[in-house]
Amino acid sequence: MPITGRAWKYGKDIDTDLIIAGRYCNLIDADELGKHAMEDLDAEFAKKVQRGDVVVAGSNFGCGSSREVAPLALKGAGVSAVVAENFARIFYRNAINIGLPIFESPEAAAAIEAGHRVEIDPASGVIRDLDTQKQFKSTPFPEFMQMIIAKGGLLPYVEERLAQRRNPDGTPTNADERGQN
Amino acid sequence: MSQLSNEPMSQIESPSPITRHSSHTGKTFAEKALARASGQSAVIAGQIVDAVPDVALSHDNTAAITKIFRALGVARVKYPERLAITLDHAVPAPTTVHATNHAETRKFVEEQGVVNFFEVWRGICHQVLSEEAIILPGQLILGADSHTTHYGWMGAFGAGIGRSEMAAIWATGELWLRVPESIKITVDGELPLGVTSKDLCLRIIGDLGADGGIYASVELHGGAISEMSLESRMVIPNMMAEFGVKNAYLPPDDAVFEWLAERKVKSQKSKVKSESEIINHKSQRDIQSEIRNGALFPDVDATYAATYHYDAAQLEPYVACPHRVDNVKPLSQVRGTRVQQAFIGTCTNGRIEDLAAAAEILRGKKLARGTRLLVIPASSQVLSDALARGYIQTFVDAGAVIGTPGCGPCMGNHMGIPAPGEVTISTANRNFRGRMGTRDAEIYLASPAVVAASAVAGVIADPREV
């Protein structure tokens, strides 16, 4: 399923305090967080963002705090993907772990303009600017991360591993209640 | 990258090609630490490993992590003895929501038998875990906090992770990590009077940018580093989080081993329950040599993606200007900027050495009219030491507010939120827009002496002139 949406364009070093301010970090619900996404950067964002829209930004997107609610807030606001020159490492991991698609492409990050219609094929990593018909390739994920993404994030992967440990040969057993095999 | 007025003094050498066919190729600190943590004889940069952290750190976000953990359907934490939990981000609780989070954290700690739990009085996680010698050189600590890079001061591998990842560690005891490429920064020479490790960090981040160390492990070597006090060293890996790195490393020496051994003995004594346990106790000397044996050092022929060199003698006091940590200017260029609030504290610069530098400037002086000063010791130990040395009296006499040990207003939770239009000068590590709770406020970052001098002058000031 391709991702399609309008581009919201921002600069480099968009930090997690801008993505979701510290005063909202007590919130857990993605929809609630989404109402405050990008609040200190662009007060119009949360009001006008449409489900499916794509955030396009420069280098070091998501730098700063380890707050996992940053990608969650974007997801809750309806953002379907983030395209950036590159990502800060904790945001990169958090986004994959909570299931927010991210794409690293310096060319796309530079070329796509605000408001343009963007189409992304998650399987191939190909990003298209539908307004200019330009096409960009994103950096492929390492094989291991592709596997995590395919499973829907870190937690489904961990659940699967825990289940395998409890029941390595697939036969019914009395699962260890403590989950500590 | 910021534009500094003077010539950059870092000499950027061309990146070494990363070609490693021989098993005899030298290893970086990151390669050695993650080989150990994943139980392998050798790993190389780029490899993905299942690492078993020696310590898993969380703070006020513990309550949120417990919800993810429970959703995994696991009843018991795999290694409760490896968890370290502090309440520090909003202490004592400023709102009912924070109080509820704290209560849920205490319940979880009780349920799971977490021994290394530190209540609201004790201080900031990175300072407390260092003081308690819970993490040691060569070990791996993963924390649900971006400044977990801090533990590089003692030669441990510390990296920040997210909440789901912490829940996964609680459940399985391990987490996947990519072995990072390494950057080597050598700092030789002697720091001029009034120039601190904070200035060195600001200079590096200003020169190379907030993304200059993205994904990398950064090692800091050289005489200027090994000559620093331990408290000055602690600033460096903490600040390197703002350089985009995964972890930072300073080679540990005897001063580090002795400091940790002293504290290990102390915490061992405080945990003694019976006479027989005392017999099994090791002497401080034995503990110190064990700690030394656990230390890891990169090989001289290790491969680095980039190397930089700084001459400490050429450095001066720097200030990070709004709203980015890499918007760095020499102090001389921003002197005279009006400040309404000054803040001395945080995991970056809230230790006794920092309070001593501030007390020296504030002794017998009053704050400028229209400027307030917040002093928040990084831990209860720092507070005790500051009381014993009379610093707290000096601060109170000058007109400062003393806060509960903890993170204070660093991330805008409470205890010193600025008004719109106000300017704060702070010893913290971040000056992002909105960071201290107010979007339309400005934050400058500097060393404790500069912040204290500015509180007295009412404008950003050079401590050498106050």
Side-chain angles (χ1 to χ4, degrees):
Chain A
M1 260 284 277
I3 293 165
T4 44
R6 241 171 353 119
W8 291 78
K9 180 96 184 244
Y10 298 107
K12 65 178 290 199
D13 299 322
I14 301 302
D15 60 73
T16 52
D17 278 86
L18 292 176
I19 298 169
I20 187 76
R23 57 189 177 273
Y24 302 120
C25 284
N26 270 325
L27 298 173
I28 285 181
D29 182 68
D31 292 340
E32 282 302 310
L33 285 161
K35 289 178 190 165
H36 304 287
M38 302 292 210
E39 195 170 277
D40 287 353
L41 176 67
D42 177 356
E44 295 298 297
F45 177 83
K47 289 178 211 154
K48 294 189 178 162
V49 67
Q50 301 283 315
R51 205 142 283 279
D53 282 357
V54 174
V55 168
V56 179
S59 70
N60 207 20
F61 187 86
C63 63
S65 153
S66 65
R67 58 191 68 159
E68 194 171 280
V69 285
L72 203 58
L74 291 176
K75 201 178 171 188
V79 170
S80 63
V82 183
V83 175
E85 187 179 331
N86 59 29
F87 293 87
R89 57 162 292 273
I90 304 179
F91 184 92
Y92 179 95
R93 295 179 68 109
N94 283 342
I96 287 164
N97 289 337
I98 62 114
L100 173 71
I102 55 171
F103 300 92
E104 214 172 70
S105 169
E107 297 77 20
I112 296 170
E113 286 176 36
H116 282 196
R117 304 285 304 172
V118 178
E119 186 185 88
I120 306 169
D121 176 22
S124 65
V126 171
I127 303 160
R128 287 176 65 205
D129 182 328
L130 297 177
D131 288 1
T132 62
Q133 287 302 319
K134 280 188 190 148
Q135 192 164 301
F136 313 94
K137 191 101 185 81
S138 58
T139 313
F141 288 102
E143 207 174 306
F144 178 82
M145 307 220 56
Q146 284 181 27
M147 183 269 293
I148 299 257
I149 294 165
K151 289 191 191 302
L154 179 72
L155 296 176
Y157 165 75
V158 169
E159 278 171 354
E160 199 178 291
R161 285 191 91 177
L162 285 168
Q164 279 167 2
R165 283 175 199 189
R166 286 194 198 105
N167 190 4
D169 56 1
T171 54
T173 61
N174 291 325
D176 179 0
E177 282 172 16
R178 290 162 61 96
Q180 286 197 70
N181 293 13
Chain B
M1 198 185 295
S2 72
Q3 296 303 311
L4 292 174
S5 64
N6 43 359
E7 286 297 301
M9 63 201 60
S10 65
Q11 297 159 8
I12 303 173
E13 292 153 23
S14 53
S16 325
I18 301 180
T19 47
R20 291 177 211 185
H21 303 297
S22 159
S23 60
H24 299 294
T25 308
K27 296 293 183 192
T28 62
F29 167 73
E31 289 168 329
K32 288 191 179 184
L34 293 182
R36 179 186 283 177
S38 61
Q40 302 186 61
S41 56
V43 302
I44 59 165
Q47 199 174 329
I48 286 173
V49 299
D50 276 324
V52 180
D54 298 282
V55 180
L57 158 72
S58 57
H59 43 67
D60 299 39
N61 55 19
T62 303
I65 299 166
T66 61
K67 293 180 177 73
I68 305 170
F69 175 71
R70 295 210 167 96
L72 280 170
V74 180
R76 305 295 303 177
V77 169
K78 179 136 181 174
Y79 303 120
E81 70 281 7
R82 294 186 179 207
L83 268 55
I85 299 174
T86 57
L87 292 176
D88 58 6
H89 271 50
V91 291
T95 67
T96 310
V97 176
H98 290 98
T100 308
N101 280 341
H102 291 179
E104 285 171 7
T105 300
R106 292 183 189 107
K107 195 169 154 238
F108 173 81
V109 161
E110 207 52 43
E111 256 174 38
Q112 301 289 334
V114 176
V115 177
N116 290 318
F117 171 59
F118 301 98
E119 262 291 355
V120 294
W121 67 285
R122 186 62 182 87
I124 310 173
C125 53
H126 306 308
Q127 179 65 15
V128 173
L129 267 60
S130 295
E131 285 175 1
E132 300 277 342
I134 283 171
I135 176 84
L136 298 171
Q139 293 186 337
L140 171 65
I141 175 167
L142 296 176
D145 185 280
S146 57
H147 290 107
T148 308
T149 52
H150 187 88
Y151 303 91
W153 77 265
M154 65 169 78
F157 191 107
I161 58 171
R163 291 176 183 177
S164 295
E165 297 186 306
M166 186 52 70
I169 291 174
W170 289 357
T172 65
E174 62 189 31
L175 185 67
W176 72 270
L177 289 178
R178 182 182 173 280
V179 182
E181 286 78 18
S182 294
I183 293 173
K184 183 176 184 176
I185 300 178
T186 306
V187 190
D188 287 317
E190 206 175 315
L191 285 170
L193 197 69
V195 179
T196 67
S197 58
K198 179 66 159 285
D199 299 301
L200 168 66
C201 294
L202 291 176
R203 176 69 205 230
I204 291 171
I205 297 165
D207 281 350
L208 305 175
D211 58 353
I214 200 163
Y215 298 128
S217 167
V218 64
E219 297 181 8
L220 288 110
H221 297 268
I225 307 281
S226 56
E227 284 301 309
M228 280 178 193
S229 71
L230 299 188
E231 298 207 343
S232 288
R233 292 186 209 176
M234 291 174 192
V235 176
I236 299 172
N238 182 287
M239 280 302 292
M240 286 298 108
E242 310 315 315
F243 187 42
V245 302
K246 182 169 206 155
N247 76 296
Y249 167 84
L250 274 54
D253 56 16
D254 280 336
V256 170
F257 307 138
E258 189 184 347
W259 193 94
L260 289 167
E262 260 173 39
R263 279 152 186 83
K264 196 87 196 160
V265 170
K266 221 169 119 189
S267 75
Q268 183 179 257
K269 278 184 185 149
S270 70
K271 281 173 190 161
V272 166
K273 292 188 192 85
S274 66
E275 286 287 319
S276 61
E277 282 187 42
I278 296 170
I279 297 161
N280 293 326
H281 273 172
K282 296 168 191 157
S283 72
Q284 183 173 324
R285 231 180 76 195
D286 290 347
I287 289 176
Q288 190 167 327
S289 77
E290 270 181 33
I291 293 173
R292 184 187 296 109
N293 292 340
L296 293 173
F297 299 91
D299 294 326
V300 284
D301 59 343
T303 307
Y304 294 94
T307 57
Y308 303 96
H309 183 262
Y310 280 83
D311 177 3
Q314 301 296 315
L315 299 174
E316 55 184 307
Y318 298 100
V319 176
C321 301
H323 295 282
R324 283 164 52 160
V325 186
D326 62 359
N327 185 15
V328 174
K329 291 182 180 149
L331 172 63
S332 53
Q333 283 183 20
V334 290
R335 273 171 56 195
T337 306
R338 185 89 182 81
V339 294
Q340 284 76 35
Q341 179 167 274
F343 171 33
I344 298 170
T346 79
C347 53
T348 314
N349 277 123
R351 279 173 286 279
I352 198 69
E353 180 180 281
D354 305 315
L355 302 194
E360 196 180 319
I361 287 157
L362 289 160
R363 195 164 296 120
K365 297 207 175 70
K366 294 279 181 201
L367 303 185
R369 193 179 166 83
T371 302
R372 48 196 193 271
L373 169 64
L374 318 169
V375 179
I376 304 186
S379 72
S380 57
Q381 183 62 57
V382 175
L383 175 57
S384 293
D385 294 346
L387 278 165
R389 297 187 190 189
Y391 299 159
I392 299 296
Q393 191 63 56
T394 300
F395 298 143
V396 172
D397 290 346
V401 178
I402 311 296
T404 311
C407 304
C410 177
M411 73 294 298
N413 276 326
H414 64 154
M415 280 209 282
I417 311 283
E422 284 190 335
V423 175
T424 297
I425 186 159
S426 159
T427 64
N429 41 35
R430 285 195 181 130
N431 62 346
F432 302 151
R433 182 184 279 284
R435 171 75 178 173
M436 292 182 77
T438 308
R439 183 189 185 275
D440 298 312
E442 294 192 331
I443 308 166
Y444 289 81
L445 305 177
S447 72
V450 171
V451 174
S454 305
V456 171
V459 294
I460 295 178
D462 191 326
R464 297 169 295 189
E465 295 168 8
V466 172

